[in-house]
Amino acid sequence: MAKEVKNDSLKPRWLRLRARFVIFVLSGVALVSAAMAVVSHMEASSALLDASQAYLLSLAEAQANQLARRLDSVAGPARDLATSLELVGVKNESFATALLKQNLIANPHIYGMALALAPYSLSPSQRYAAVYAFRSPKGLKVMDLNNPRYDYLSQNWYLIPALLGRPVWSEPYFDEGAGNVLMTTYSAPMVDKGKMLGVVTADVDLGDLGKLVRSLSLHEGGYGFLLTRQGTFLAAPDPNLVMRASIFSVAEEMQRPELRALGRHMVRGAAGLREIIDPLNQQKAWLAYAPVKGVGWSFGVVAPSEAVLAPVTDLTTHQLFFAVVGLAILGLVVLLMVVGLTRPVKLLTHGAKRLSGGDLACRVEGIRPGDEVGELANTFNTMASDLSAHVEELKRKKQELEDSLHRIELLENIEQTLGKFVPASVKARIEEAPEAPDLKKREQDVSVLFLDVAGYTKMSEQVNGEDMNFLIERYFSSFLDDIYVNHGDINETAGDGLMIIFQEDDPVVHAVNAVTCALAVRHKVAAVNRELEGRFQPVTINIGVNSGTAQVGSSRFEGLAGTRWTFTASGPVTNTAARIGALATQGEIYLGPETAKRVEDRFELKAIGPQTLKNVAQPVEVFAVQGPKAA
Amino acid sequence: MKKTGFTRGCLAAWLVAALLLVSALPAMALDKVSLQLQWVHQAQFAGFYVAQDQGLYRQAGLEVEIRPGGPDINPLHNLASLGCDFATGWLSEAMVLRAKEVPLVNLAQLIQRSALVLVTFNNSGINKIEDLNNHRVGLWRNQFSVPTHALFARNKIRAKEIAQRTSMAPFLSRAVDAAMAMLYNEYHSLYQAGVDLDQIKIFSFADMGLNFPEDGLYALEDTWNERRDVCRRFVAASLEGWRRAFAQKDQALVSVMKRVNEAHLASNRPHQRWMLHSMKEIYTHRVGLDKMGHLSPDDLKQVNLVLLEQGFIPSPVEAEGFAVQAWQKK
C-alpha cells in the first residue's frame, strides 16, 4: 500500500490558480515594463537634457553675439567719427552738425548722435559746445546742448569717457525727448596727445529688445532676459522688472544669495549653464547665459526643467498608457488562457473526486484533446476504465479464489473421509507425485489378508438397511485403526469383506503385521460383539492370509459410465489368500504356507493339513493361528 | 474723440458739486497746504505718505498736497518764492539761506544723524581719508558739497573734484575713485548693482565730526507766525505718520511703492525697504520715537561752525526764531 502523503503541514495557498497566474504574469510583465520605462526615461531625459542644454547655451550665445554686433554697428560710426575728428578737429558747430547728419543717414541703426566738445574748445568765452542730431517723426532734427542747467560736461555720457579716456556704453536709460524710449548711448572720446578734445556719441533705440527677447524660440514657459553691467533688467518677461529691478534686487527681495552670486558671475562677462530655481515661479529651470561683448551685458535664456523634459514626460506618459492598455489586454488573454487551463483541471478534479468516491464509471468529458491537458484527460479516462477493468478482474479472481477455497475445503473433507479407504501405499505414491502418481503395477512381495463377515447375507436379511450400515460401520470402524497401525492397505470392500494388503521392505515384517492385524481384528470383533450383545446377533469374522510375490498397482477398467481405477495386488498369492479365507470358519484365522513360514517364530500355529483350493492346482498347506507365541 | 468744451465743463461742474457734497459732510473746512519734497518719491518720505494715506492729515483738519522733487527742484528756494507751504530740506542749506535773509524756520528736524558718506572701492588704494589727495572724487553740487569741502579743508585734502549727478555710474565705471552717497540710497544702489558691501569702504561724515543733520521740515516765518496751528497740526500729523511707518513697514512700503510705480520710477521694493529701515535709524538716533523732530542745539552749533569756517555764512544762525520746535506740544 502506498504511503499516504501528508499535506496538512503545508501552508495552504491563499490564492486560486487563476488569480495567482494572472497576478504573477501581470506583475512580471509590469515589472519589466516599468524597468524599461525607467531606463528609457532616464536615457531619454539625459539625452534630451544634453540637447536642450546645448541648445539653450547656443541660443544665449547667438543672441548675445547678435546683439553685440548690432551694438557695434552703432558704436563703429561714433568711434570712427571720433578718430577722424581727433585728426581734423572741429572748427565750428555747423561742421559738426553736418557730420552728425551724414552719419545718421548712413547708419539707420543709430537713433541720434552728439558731438560735444571739451570746455572752451571753440573760444575762451564759450564753455559749452555740443550738438545733437536725432531722428524725429518729421525727419532728422538738430539741437544744441549748450544749456548751462543741462551742463553736458557733468552728464555721464560725456563725463565718464572723458575721465576714462576710452569709449563707454552708458547704462541704458529712458529717453524722455524721444518719447520715453529705452536707449543706450555709446560715447567715444576724442583725445589728441593726451588732451581731451570732446566726445562723440551714438544712441541706439532699445525699444525692440523686449520684442527680440520675446521672439526667441524657446520651450514653453521659457524666456530670455538681458542684464546690464549693473545687473539691471533690460528685457525680462515681467515688464515691471525692466529698468527697475536688477538680478541683485530680485535676489535681495527673495533672500537668495545664490541668485546674487549668479548675477555677479553673469555681469562679469561669464558664459555658463546651470539649473536654478526660477525666481519668477519658484520652479526648477535651466539657465544659459552669455556675455554681450563690448557693452558688457549678459544675455540669459531660461527654460523650465519641466518643459525641457516635457517630451520625455510625454513619452513616458505614452509608454505608461500603452503599458497599462497592454497589461489590461495581456491580463484578459492570460485570464482566458488560465480559464482554459483550469476548467479542465476543475473537471478533472471533479472526476477524480467522483472516482475516489467509487464511481468507476465516471469519465471526464468536454476537454479538447491535442495538448497536455487533453492528454491528461485522456489518461484519466484510460486510467478510470483500466481501473474499472482491474476491479472487475479482481472481483472475478476473488470469486474464483473463493470457489477454489471452497473446493479445497471439500477436497480436504474428501481426503479425510476417503483416506481411510485409499490404501496407504497408494496415498504414498500419490503424495510422492501428486500430478502423475506412479500407479503402474509392479512385482512386489506382499501379504494379502481376506476378511469375511460370516453370515452377512443372513444378517442383512434380518436387520433393516439402516441398522445394517450401522453394524458394518461399527465393526469395520472398530478394526480400521488396527489395519492402519499395522500398515495395511484396505484394497477392496465387498458387501461383507475386505481385502487388505500389507507390504514392507522386509517380507517377514508385513507377514507379521498381517497376522497381528488379524488377531487384533478378531479381538475387536469380540469386544463389539459383547457391546452389542442382546441387540444384534454376534458377528463372526473369518480371515485368510497369504504371502508371496504379487502384481501390485492400479488396474483400469474402462466402462460405459467412465473409467474406474482400482489399486490391488493380483496374482496367485491373492487368489490363494481368498480361498484360504473362505476355508476359515468360526472366526478362524488361516495362513498360507509362506505366511506361516514367516511368522511361525512369533505366533502359535496349528497345521490344518493340505487343502485343495478352487482354481489352485496343487493342494496348499493351511495353518490356523492360535495366538501370539508366549515370549 | 474730442469732447466739446461745453460737455467737459458740465462734467467738471458735476464733479466739483459731488466733491463739495462729500467734503462738506464732515462739516469742517480742511486747511489746504502743500509739501515740497527734496526728491522723487521714495521711502525717504514714507512718513508723509502714510500720514496722507491713513488719513492722519485729514484727521488733523488738513488737506495736504505732496509734491515730489527732482534734480531741478530746490524745495527751500521754492518755499522762499512762495511756491509751497512746507518743504523738506537739509539743515545746512536752510541755515545758509537764512543767513542770506531768507526767512525760513525749522519746524522739525527729521534726520538726526547724517547718512552722508564717501564711498570708495577697497582696491582703489584709499584706506584713510587723507588718501583722497589727488584722487578723483565725485561731489554733489551746491549745499551737498558743504560737508565734503569742510572735510577736505580740515584734512588739507586736494582732491580732483568731479561734478557728480545722481547716477553712481562714474563710480561704478571707476571714472571716479570716490563718490558721495547716502547710506539709505546710493550705498544700497551699489549693492543692487552687484557690488558686494565688502568690496567697498565708506567714510561716514557723522563719524568724522561732520554730522550735518539732513532732512528737516521748513516753512517761512510768515507761515509760522500766521498759521501756527496749521503748522503744528501738520508737523504732528507728519511725525505720527512716521511713527506708523516705522511700526508697520510693510504697509508703509505699500504707500511708497504705489507712488514709485505711479511715477514710473526706476526703483524697486527691496531698495525702498532698505531706505525705510535706514530712515528709522537716522530719525530716531539719540531722540527715540517720542522726541522725533527735535533740533539739537549742539548740531546747530556744529553746522554753524563748519559753515562759518567754509565761509558759507557771515555769522552764526541763531536758534532763536529759527529752530521753532513746532513738534513740541504747547
Side-chain angles (χ1 to χ4, degrees):
Chain A
M1 194 173 163
K3 188 185 156 200
E4 198 180 338
V5 180
K6 287 268 180 189
N7 281 332
D8 298 345
S9 59
L10 296 177
K11 217 169 110 188
R13 297 206 187 261
W14 58 278
L15 277 177
R16 304 289 293 176
L17 201 57
R18 283 180 195 180
R20 225 160 72 215
F21 207 85
V22 171
I23 287 171
F24 275 118
V25 170
L26 288 194
S27 53
V29 173
L31 266 178
V32 171
S33 310
M36 283 172 65
V38 167
V39 168
S40 82
H41 181 86
M42 282 166 62
E43 297 275 326
S45 301
S46 145
L48 199 73
L49 199 58
D50 288 349
S52 291
Q53 288 176 350
Y55 172 72
L56 280 181
L57 196 55
S58 64
L59 187 65
E61 279 169 350
Q63 289 300 323
N65 291 339
Q66 195 182 325
L67 193 57
R69 280 197 299 278
R70 180 175 150 199
L71 292 173
D72 198 52
S73 75
V74 170
R79 204 162 45 222
D80 294 347
L81 185 56
T83 308
S84 55
L85 287 179
E86 280 169 4
L87 302 171
V88 178
V90 180
K91 311 284 186 290
N92 54 55
E93 288 188 9
S94 60
F95 172 69
T97 306
L99 281 175
L100 294 179
K101 279 188 168 180
Q102 190 188 329
N103 266 285
L104 280 179
I105 289 163
N107 297 287
H109 286 315
I110 302 176
Y111 173 79
M113 289 184 85
L115 179 55
L117 298 181
Y120 311 108
S121 292
L122 291 179
S123 80
S125 63
Q126 190 180 347
R127 178 175 164 84
Y128 300 110
V131 189
Y132 180 53
F134 63 100
R135 297 172 200 282
S136 81
K138 292 170 185 169
L140 293 183
K141 270 195 168 182
V142 178
M143 60 188 276
D144 75 65
L145 302 171
N146 297 337
N147 186 340
R149 277 181 71 86
Y150 179 66
D151 184 26
Y152 70 79
L153 297 172
S154 65
Q155 297 289 346
N156 286 336
W157 59 263
Y158 181 92
L159 182 69
I160 295 174
L163 288 174
L164 292 176
R166 60 172 167 81
V168 166
W169 280 100
S170 76
E171 272 294 292
Y173 56 91
F174 282 109
D175 186 276
E176 287 175 22
N180 250 342
V181 172
L182 186 61
M183 292 241 190
T184 183
T185 299
Y186 180 81
S187 308
M190 299 179 287
V191 183
D192 183 32
K193 298 180 187 94
K195 192 182 174 226
M196 178 68 199
L197 301 178
V199 167
V200 177
T201 73
D203 302 334
V204 57
D205 180 348
L206 298 177
D208 65 340
L209 271 186
K211 213 188 330 178
L212 172 89
V213 165
R214 278 191 295 278
S215 72
L216 291 179
S217 162
L218 286 167
H219 293 87
E220 194 182 336
Y223 59 86
F225 65 93
L226 193 57
L227 298 181
T228 71
R229 267 168 303 181
Q230 296 185 11
T232 306
F233 287 100
L234 264 184
D238 178 1
N240 285 327
L241 292 176
V242 175
M243 291 301 288
R244 298 188 62 194
S246 69
I247 191 169
F248 307 111
S249 76
V250 171
E252 185 183 357
E253 178 84 340
M254 308 187 81
Q255 300 185 339
R256 285 179 53 185
E258 95 287 354
L259 200 59
R260 181 176 173 85
L262 171 67
R264 281 170 62 87
H265 197 240
M266 289 175 76
V267 299
R268 276 180 200 159
L273 178 86
R274 58 176 76 177
E275 194 168 30
I276 59 164
I277 304 295
D278 188 338
L280 296 186
N281 56 17
Q282 316 306 322
Q283 302 287 313
K284 274 192 173 179
W286 284 97
L287 164 69
Y289 51 95
V292 182
K293 295 203 172 68
V295 69
W297 300 344
S298 184
F299 202 101
V301 179
V302 174
S305 301
E306 208 174 72
V308 168
L309 294 177
V312 180
T313 314
D314 284 355
L315 179 69
T316 309
T317 311
H318 286 170
Q319 277 180 336
L320 208 65
F321 173 75
F322 285 117
V324 167
V325 169
L327 278 178
I329 292 171
L330 188 68
L332 203 64
V333 169
V334 169
L335 194 67
L336 284 174
M337 203 178 90
V338 175
V339 167
L341 276 175
T342 51
R343 191 188 64 87
V345 171
K346 277 191 166 179
L347 286 173
L348 281 166
T349 307
H350 183 65
K353 273 183 188 162
R354 279 174 61 195
L355 201 64
S356 76
D359 181 6
L360 293 181
C362 155
R363 297 291 182 270
V364 177
E365 282 167 0
I367 298 176
R368 287 176 62 187
D371 64 357
E372 288 82 348
V373 180
E375 271 174 33
L376 183 61
N378 199 23
T379 308
F380 178 88
N381 285 340
T382 309
M383 180 193 79
S385 74
D386 283 357
L387 203 59
S388 77
H390 282 311
V391 168
E392 285 304 314
E393 175 74 7
L394 215 56
K395 275 183 184 169
R396 201 173 56 75
K397 287 269 170 64
K398 187 187 164 212
Q399 190 57 49
E400 277 179 12
L401 198 62
E402 277 175 359
D403 289 353
S404 297
L405 281 173
H406 187 61
R407 274 199 299 277
I408 286 166
E409 261 174 45
L410 284 177
L411 283 172
E412 278 176 356
N413 284 343
I414 288 166
E415 195 214 352
Q416 274 184 352
T417 313
L418 288 188
K420 297 168 184 173
F421 303 98
V422 174
S425 60
V426 175
K427 252 167 102 180
R429 284 199 194 174
I430 287 171
E431 280 166 6
E432 265 173 35
E435 288 88 11
D438 180 15
L439 299 175
K440 279 194 191 113
K441 284 195 176 166
R442 51 191 169 185
E443 291 236 317
Q444 177 110 27
D445 187 274
V446 295
S447 295
V448 180
L449 182 153
F450 275 88
L451 183 153
D452 178 61
V453 181
Y456 177 79
T457 310
K458 206 168 124 191
M459 191 170 73
S460 60
E461 287 166 2
Q462 287 171 353
V463 296
N464 59 34
E466 201 176 325
D467 288 341
M468 190 64 198
N469 270 342
F470 167 77
L471 287 173
I472 289 177
E473 275 197 19
R474 185 70 188 83
Y475 283 102
F476 279 53
S477 304
S478 71
F479 50 74
L480 215 49
D481 290 339
D482 297 317
I483 295 168
Y484 280 128
V485 166
N486 291 297
H487 310 293
D489 290 334
I490 296 169
N491 179 243
E492 210 53 58
T493 56
D496 53 354
L498 289 173
M499 175 182 162
I500 301 161
I501 299 167
F502 294 86
Q503 45 185 337
E504 296 288 340
D505 291 341
D506 186 343
V508 176
V509 172
H510 60 71
V512 170
N513 284 349
V515 176
T516 306
C517 175
L519 282 171
V521 167
R522 190 164 67 183
H523 185 71
K524 281 278 170 59
V525 168
V528 176
N529 279 345
R530 278 192 300 273
E531 191 186 318
L532 300 177
E533 194 175 1
R535 290 167 59 193
F536 299 101
Q537 286 289 321
V539 168
T540 304
I541 302 285
N542 300 314
I543 294 170
V545 178
N546 194 20
S547 298
T549 306
Q551 290 289 322
V552 180
S554 59
S555 297
R556 196 169 64 175
F557 304 94
E558 302 280 345
L560 286 171
T563 305
R564 181 179 153 76
W565 289 82
T566 61
F567 183 84
T568 188
S570 55
V573 173
T574 305
N575 194 35
T576 303
R579 300 301 165 200
I580 290 170
L583 283 183
T585 55
Q586 306 298 313
E588 289 286 5
I589 300 167
Y590 286 175
L591 307 180
E594 182 61 26
T595 308
K597 193 171 79 187
R598 294 184 191 179
V599 301
E600 63 190 353
D601 294 344
R602 301 279 298 273
F603 301 97
E604 293 289 344
L605 305 178
K606 188 181 93 183
I608 302 298
Q611 303 284 325
T612 302
L613 303 175
K614 193 179 172 183
N615 294 336
V616 178
Q618 298 291 321
V620 175
E621 285 284 341
V622 177
F623 299 86
V625 179
Q626 303 295 312
K629 252 187 188 166
Chain B
M1 196 165 68
K2 196 173 177 183
K3 286 193 166 97
T4 63
F6 177 72
T7 42
R8 213 186 302 175
C10 280
L11 209 66
W14 275 109
L15 270 173
V16 168
L19 277 171
L20 280 174
L21 267 172
V22 171
S23 56
L25 283 176
M28 190 179 86
L30 295 174
D31 294 306
K32 287 189 177 182
V33 291
S34 56
L35 168 66
Q36 178 62 57
L37 303 177
Q38 292 148 279
W39 200 239
V40 294
H41 284 309
Q42 56 182 2
Q44 186 183 357
F45 314 111
F48 302 114
Y49 308 146
V50 169
Q52 189 175 52
D53 289 0
Q54 298 188 12
L56 299 177
Y57 286 140
R58 185 165 283 270
Q59 282 168 25
L62 299 171
E63 188 182 325
V64 179
E65 184 199 346
I66 299 175
R67 297 178 191 158
D72 299 328
I73 296 169
N74 187 319
L76 298 184
H77 288 174
N78 213 333
L79 203 60
S81 61
L82 304 176
C84 59
D85 299 310
F86 304 110
T88 63
W90 280 25
L91 178 61
S92 55
E93 190 189 6
M95 287 164 68
V96 169
L97 284 175
R98 186 158 173 96
K100 289 178 181 171
E101 304 296 319
V102 178
L104 297 177
V105 293
N106 178 300
L107 297 174
Q109 184 57 37
L110 302 173
I111 289 178
Q112 302 290 334
R113 177 185 160 87
S114 172
L116 190 68
V117 295
L118 275 170
V119 58
T120 65
F121 276 104
N122 281 343
N123 58 9
S124 65
I126 297 165
N127 298 315
K128 51 186 190 295
I129 200 69
E130 290 81 9
D131 293 341
L132 285 172
N133 231 346
N134 290 321
H135 277 95
R136 288 173 184 156
V137 180
L139 292 184
W140 287 326
R141 291 153 177 245
N142 305 326
Q143 80 282 353
F144 291 110
S145 64
V146 170
T148 318
H149 284 131
L151 182 75
F152 286 177
R154 284 183 176 189
N155 293 284
K156 298 190 174 61
I157 292 166
R158 284 179 177 275
K160 293 174 188 166
E161 295 181 15
I162 308 294
Q164 180 182 342
R165 287 181 170 266
T166 55
S167 163
M168 293 301 278
F171 178 72
L172 283 166
S173 64
R174 308 292 185 108
V176 295
D177 300 313
M180 291 180 79
M182 300 307 291
L183 273 179
Y184 54 77
N185 194 0
E186 288 80 9
Y187 176 67
H188 189 257
S189 297
L190 292 175
Y191 179 74
Q192 284 204 338
V195 177
D196 282 351
L197 296 184
D198 58 9
Q199 285 182 286
I200 51 177
K201 187 178 283 131
I202 54 171
F203 297 97
S204 165
F205 284 86
D207 291 344
M208 294 186 294
L210 290 165
N211 185 30
F212 278 32
E214 290 141 10
D215 303 9
L217 264 179
Y218 294 92
L220 290 177
E221 271 181 2
D222 287 348
T223 312
W224 173 244
N225 291 330
E226 291 160 20
R227 304 170 74 189
R228 190 160 295 191
D229 182 51
V230 169
C231 291
R232 284 191 194 284
R233 277 187 278 143
F234 175 71
V235 170
S238 298
L239 290 176
E240 184 55 27
W242 275 107
R243 285 184 195 98
R244 286 204 192 181
F246 294 149
Q248 298 166 331
K249 285 187 182 139
D250 284 342
Q251 221 169 325
L253 279 175
V254 172
S255 291
V256 173
M257 288 312 291
K258 187 179 79 180
R259 288 168 173 80
V260 168
N261 291 337
E262 280 170 3
H264 302 290
L265 297 173
S267 188
N268 55 64
R269 192 179 163 85
H271 184 61
Q272 297 301 328
R273 180 181 286 116
W274 166 271
M275 192 180 288
L276 181 58
H277 187 75
S278 306
M279 281 296 143
K280 186 180 180 185
E281 284 189 8
I282 56 182
Y283 265 57
T284 60
H285 179 69
R286 289 187 312 214
V287 297
L289 284 168
D290 292 337
K291 287 193 170 179
M292 282 198 317
H294 178 68
L295 176 56
S296 150
D298 288 346
D299 286 344
L300 190 66
K301 203 164 123 189
Q302 191 189 20
V303 177
N304 264 325
L305 199 66
V306 174
L307 291 178
L308 278 169
E309 209 176 272
Q310 295 295 313
F312 279 93
I313 51 174
S315 58
V317 174
E318 296 298 325
E320 185 69 35
F322 175 64
V324 299
Q325 313 284 16
W327 58 278
Q328 282 180 332
K329 291 192 178 83
K330 279 272 168 181

